[in-house]
Amino acid sequence: KILSTILNDKKIGFFPLSIIFRGRFLKNFSFPNGLEKKNYDLFSKLRKSNFIISINSEKKNIELIKRRCVELDCPMLEEYDFLNDFYVSTIKIDLHPSTKVRIYQEKALSKMFTKGRARSGVIVLPCGSGKTIVGISSTSILKKTSLIVCNSTVSVEQWKKQFLKWSTVSKKKIKSFIAGEFSIANYSLAEIVITTYSMISFGGQRAKLSASFLGEIKTREWGLVILDEVHVVPANIFRKVLGIIKTQCKLGLTATLLREDRKVGDIGFLIGPKLYEANWLDLEKLGFLAMACCTEIFCPMPPEFYDCYLNESGSIRQILCALNPNKARVCDFLIRYHENRGDRVLVFSDNVFALRSYATKMTRAFIYGATGSLERMRILKKFQEYEGQTLFISRIGDTSIDLPEANVILQISSHYGSRRQEAQRLGRILRPKFRSSKAFFYSLVSSQTEEMFYASKRQQFLVSQGYDFKTIVNLWGIENISDLVFSSKEEKIQLLSQILSNQTIKI
């Protein structure tokens, strides 16, 4: 029945097919008009035996065939018989004796490896629950050349450190391929290569060495490709990565299998089905994640700000919401409160102008897209080494940046109603801490503005996972604290004039 469904489909039947019976090619077919009676008779004779239908398609059409099979409710399953594969190079790698694989990580791996084969697909685990360990474990089981693709240079370095920490792989056998930090001599010895989506999918002119390096990646046959933060793969540019790389098995890792553009379904045929997903609160009850206290705080706008908000539109409205003086005062109060407790605070803002304004006014370090890689590494290292208790960061901190010390997040500006971003940000503080078993997530929202609508939409995924948001309509008594930022009316008027005079701000 399944075979009839697929071969009677006009989109798939157009491609030439072969039957492989008892290890040899039996016959070539094509079914542009569907199955005919003589073909039914042939399949009836073969049905009691094991035979293989081979679709002889060009590589560019494979995505189309996979998509069509999903639409026909006959999804294709990709399995890799790695134990009997002598073509792809075998590598020496095992987990370090001190590495402990948690029970839910073992369960996730058992869904990937079954009957001596590796199944392509996606594993969904919360932030801070050890997705990297799952990726390293899968590599140590396959023992084949592996390519790890990340979404930032910072995460490339983190993956490399984790491989060296948790596995027995030699430092000479693992290399990173990022801008300005590679050489052909080193790459020829590499059995595990870590790079970024942009390094592979970039279509512009490349340096000679970089082009040669990419050529090596394209021509090599990889046993395993690990796609970190796999939810970015359906993007039109990043999906080119899967068309460029030759691989036997694909493993996608993410904390939030969500996209607001409805392309998340494409992951099913680009990579494979969802193999395993862990519930956030279940892991919290088991002690693998910190106990999160989620709070939404409404911050009313001063009258002069709200009048401008009603009369403006577009980007100016968003900046007025982000730079609401009362929101800034609440932010300043919460930073001081948690710093006095000894907590480590991350302040997130998608609006770069607001991010720089807050950080400069409160004399704290900040990171955003234009911050150079070396400067970014330096600031992150200082935060990790307790040289600063608070760090302001833009959306670049949403994913793949490992900040295990942080246990408090303040969100002052966000990307509209993105459920994925809300969950990713909460995940930055879910790793259990020795000092405190609790994590605090504050979302600061300007009252009676579009932020209230987006805030309710953003919380939907976390609510579905069992989290509860407490709502504080007003922080009583905060107006009596005189030394907070923007305490005087003159400061507020000056801030408003700066916002209105800057008409070319990029959000």
Side-chain angles (χ1 to χ4, degrees):
K1 184 179 178 181
I2 294 173
L3 189 61
S4 299
T5 301
I6 293 174
L7 298 185
N8 276 317
D9 184 71
K10 292 183 179 180
K11 291 185 179 180
I12 298 179
F14 177 82
F15 295 105
L17 308 173
S18 301
I19 291 183
I20 303 172
F21 179 64
R22 292 179 179 175
R24 61 189 180 89
F25 284 98
L26 188 65
K27 195 171 182 180
N28 292 323
F29 297 88
S30 62
F31 304 96
N33 300 315
L35 283 170
E36 300 173 1
K37 186 179 184 304
K38 60 180 181 179
N39 296 322
Y40 273 115
D41 294 339
L42 175 63
F43 291 129
S44 296
K45 293 177 182 178
L46 294 174
R47 68 181 181 179
K48 294 182 180 180
S49 305
N50 291 325
F51 66 96
I52 299 171
I53 295 291
S54 173
I55 301 176
N56 306 318
S57 167
E58 295 180 16
K59 191 172 182 180
K60 64 181 181 181
N61 295 320
I62 291 176
E63 183 180 322
L64 185 151
I65 295 170
K66 288 182 178 179
R67 182 197 292 268
R68 187 56 183 161
C69 286
V70 171
E71 292 171 354
L72 294 171
D73 200 25
C74 302
M76 301 178 76
L77 188 64
E78 293 185 55
E79 290 186 339
Y80 175 32
D81 187 9
F82 61 95
L83 294 176
N84 297 313
D85 181 14
F86 304 104
Y87 178 73
V88 178
S89 302
T90 301
I91 64 175
K92 292 182 179 180
I93 182 173
D94 285 295
L95 291 179
H96 197 276
S98 63
T99 304
K100 293 182 179 180
V101 180
R102 295 171 178 173
I103 185 169
Y104 60 89
Q105 294 168 334
E106 288 181 356
K107 191 172 182 180
L109 290 166
S110 70
K111 298 294 183 180
M112 179 182 178
F113 295 95
T114 178
K115 298 179 181 178
R117 298 192 176 194
R119 184 176 295 176
S120 293
V122 179
I123 292 175
V124 185
L125 294 175
C127 302
S129 61
K131 294 186 294 296
T132 309
I133 295 292
V134 172
I136 295 170
S137 299
S138 63
T139 306
S140 67
I141 294 171
L142 251 72
K143 295 183 176 9
K144 299 291 181 181
T145 53
S146 301
L147 177 70
I148 293 88
V149 191
C150 313
N151 67 342
S152 70
T153 55
V154 173
S155 56
V156 168
E157 291 303 315
Q158 289 175 176
W159 267 92
K160 188 175 180 179
K161 288 178 181 177
Q162 295 298 307
F163 258 103
L164 295 173
K165 180 179 180 180
W166 302 112
S167 75
T168 59
V169 67
S170 170
K171 194 173 183 179
K172 295 179 180 179
K173 300 297 183 180
I174 179 169
K175 301 297 175 185
S176 56
F177 175 40
I178 55 178
E181 295 185 22
F182 52 86
S183 67
I184 288 294
N186 288 336
Y187 179 78
S188 61
L189 301 172
E191 296 172 340
I192 298 173
V193 176
I194 311 173
T195 185
T196 63
Y197 292 103
S198 56
M199 282 295 288
I200 295 179
S201 62
F202 177 67
Q205 188 174 359
R206 293 176 178 267
K208 186 177 180 180
L209 187 58
S210 176
S212 177
F213 219 80
L214 182 61
E216 291 282 348
I217 290 177
K218 287 181 180 179
T219 55
R220 182 185 285 196
E221 188 84 23
W222 300 94
L224 174 66
V225 169
I226 297 176
L227 301 157
D228 192 24
E229 305 298 346
V230 72
H231 53 267
V232 306
V233 172
N236 293 330
I237 295 175
F238 292 156
R239 70 194 302 159
K240 292 180 183 177
V241 171
L242 295 174
I244 290 172
I245 299 168
K246 299 176 184 177
T247 180
Q248 300 294 330
C249 182
K250 299 184 289 288
L251 172 62
L253 298 173
T254 185
T256 50
L257 200 58
L258 293 170
R259 286 181 68 90
E260 303 304 327
D261 59 5
R262 299 183 180 179
K263 286 186 177 180
V264 72
D266 292 1
I267 291 176
F269 61 83
L270 287 171
I271 296 162
K274 181 167 64 177
L275 302 174
Y276 179 79
E277 181 174 8
N279 180 270
W280 295 42
L281 281 187
D282 288 345
L283 298 190
E284 181 184 295
K285 291 174 183 176
L286 293 171
F288 295 121
L289 295 179
M291 186 182 298
C293 303
C294 302
T295 306
E296 183 181 48
I297 302 177
F298 290 154
C299 307
M301 277 189 175
E304 56 272 16
F305 270 74
Y306 196 63
D307 288 342
C308 287
Y309 173 83
L310 296 176
N311 294 322
E312 297 288 344
S313 61
S315 61
I316 299 299
R317 271 192 165 198
Q318 295 175 33
I319 297 168
L320 287 168
C321 289
L323 278 170
N324 175 1
N326 291 331
K327 181 187 286 189
R329 287 169 58 79
V330 172
C331 179
D332 191 17
F333 170 77
L334 290 173
I335 287 174
R336 296 184 188 190
Y337 170 75
H338 282 286
E339 284 185 342
N340 289 334
R341 277 172 39 99
D343 295 327
R344 315 279 288 162
V345 184
L346 289 176
V347 184
F348 277 96
S349 174
D350 270 38
N351 188 299
V352 175
F353 181 72
L355 177 79
R356 297 181 67 173
S357 300
Y358 273 74
T360 303
K361 189 74 175 176
M362 299 178 193
T363 61
R364 302 296 197 282
F366 63 93
I367 295 176
Y368 65 108
T371 308
S373 295
L374 293 177
E375 177 69 8
R376 191 179 301 181
M377 295 284 192
R378 185 187 65 81
I379 294 173
L380 290 174
K381 187 176 180 181
K382 277 191 172 183
F383 184 80
Q384 291 166 352
E385 294 176 351
Y386 292 86
E387 291 185 29
Q389 282 188 268
T390 300
L391 175 64
F392 283 76
I393 193 166
S394 70
R395 69 177 68 172
I396 64 169
D398 290 351
T399 58
S400 300
I401 290 183
D402 189 22
L403 295 169
E405 301 80 10
N407 66 324
V408 179
I409 279 183
L410 303 177
Q411 183 174 250
I412 56 177
S413 171
S414 54
H415 185 64
Y416 300 103
S418 175
R419 299 164 294 163
R420 178 194 60 78
Q421 188 184 62
E422 191 91 346
Q424 290 281 3
R425 287 181 173 176
L426 174 62
R428 300 299 97 198
I429 55 174
L430 287 184
R431 192 167 296 178
K433 313 295 186 301
F434 291 108
R435 294 186 177 185
S436 173
S437 61
K438 288 188 176 182
F440 301 90
F441 181 85
Y442 299 96
S443 182
L444 309 186
V445 181
S446 293
S447 303
Q448 305 302 320
T449 67
E450 59 189 19
E451 281 192 342
M452 295 183 70
F453 167 75
Y454 291 130
S456 62
K457 186 176 185 298
R458 291 170 62 83
Q459 296 165 12
Q460 290 175 4
F461 174 76
L462 293 177
V463 170
S464 71
Q465 291 288 321
Y467 286 97
D468 181 30
F469 275 79
K470 295 180 181 178
T471 301
I472 298 176
V473 178
N474 201 350
L475 280 177
W476 300 106
I478 194 171
E479 64 277 359
N480 298 326
I481 304 175
S482 59
D483 59 341
L484 297 177
V485 294
F486 302 116
S487 296
S488 66
K489 189 170 183 179
E490 291 75 16
E491 287 181 300
K492 296 176 184 178
I493 298 298
Q494 185 181 2
L495 175 63
L496 181 60
S497 64
Q498 288 177 355
I499 295 172
L500 297 178
S501 63
N502 196 338
Q503 296 291 323
T504 58
I505 298 171
K506 293 182 180 179
I507 307 299

